[in-house]
Amino acid sequence: MVVQGGCLCGAVRYRLRHPRAAYWCHCTMCRRASGSAALPWVSVARGDFELVQGVMTTYASSAGVSRDFCGRCGSPILFDMACEDAVDVTLGTLDQPDLLPPSHHIWCSTNLEMARTLGSGLPRHAGEAP
Ligand SMILES: [Zn+2]
Ligand SMILES: [Zn+2]
């Protein structure tokens, strides 16, 4: 399976081969990095992530950990822990995220209550709220 994705402005484009598990991360660092209540990721072997266009900006968020994003539009793209053989890619930047539905949640010890109840029972509008 090969899937493609890119950032909001289109400057960064990438390709993934053999995507592994997709999951939601509820850690506080992903929350701040994305500005979202939780961040969904998909793991791939390091060699199965291919940057096909553009250049990413790197932020070293911890020792041995980098978070790469588009320096033009800010879309978070990649989480890379040097000691792991896999990297993680933000599911929301895929062209077709629904092809890889998340199978589990991690760092639920710090999950926001709003992330636990995402959308449940709240009014849902197809577009903007009327
Ligand atoms: Zn961009
Ligand atoms: Zn996280």
Side-chain angles (χ1 to χ4, degrees):
M1 184 184 202
V2 177
V3 296
Q4 300 184 64
C7 67
L8 174 63
C9 77
V12 172
R13 293 290 301 167
Y14 63 80
R15 184 181 301 134
L16 307 179
R17 288 185 308 274
H18 313 302
R20 299 176 179 177
Y23 62 91
W24 283 94
C25 185
H26 297 267
C27 82
T28 57
M29 295 180 79
C30 285
R31 196 165 82 214
R32 289 193 185 274
S34 67
S36 184
L39 185 56
W41 295 96
V42 60
S43 296
V44 292
R46 186 181 303 283
D48 287 335
F49 175 85
E50 182 187 0
L51 186 65
V52 295
Q53 177 185 297
V55 178
M56 294 195 287
T57 298
T58 293
Y59 171 64
S61 57
S62 310
V65 176
S66 65
R67 290 174 180 265
D68 297 351
F69 56 96
C70 175
R72 184 171 172 226
C73 72
S75 292
I77 307 262
L78 196 68
F79 178 90
D80 187 344
M81 192 177 282
C83 62
E84 301 276 342
D85 73 338
V87 296
D88 300 296
V89 180
T90 49
L91 202 55
T93 60
L94 292 177
D95 293 342
Q96 296 176 284
D98 278 340
L99 291 178
L100 302 170
S103 60
H104 59 285
H105 297 258
I106 65 171
W107 289 105
C108 294
S109 56
T110 55
N111 76 209
L112 296 184
E113 195 57 34
M114 70 172 76
R116 185 191 296 277
T117 60
L118 184 66
S120 63
L122 299 178
R124 300 179 76 90
H125 309 288
E128 289 186 44

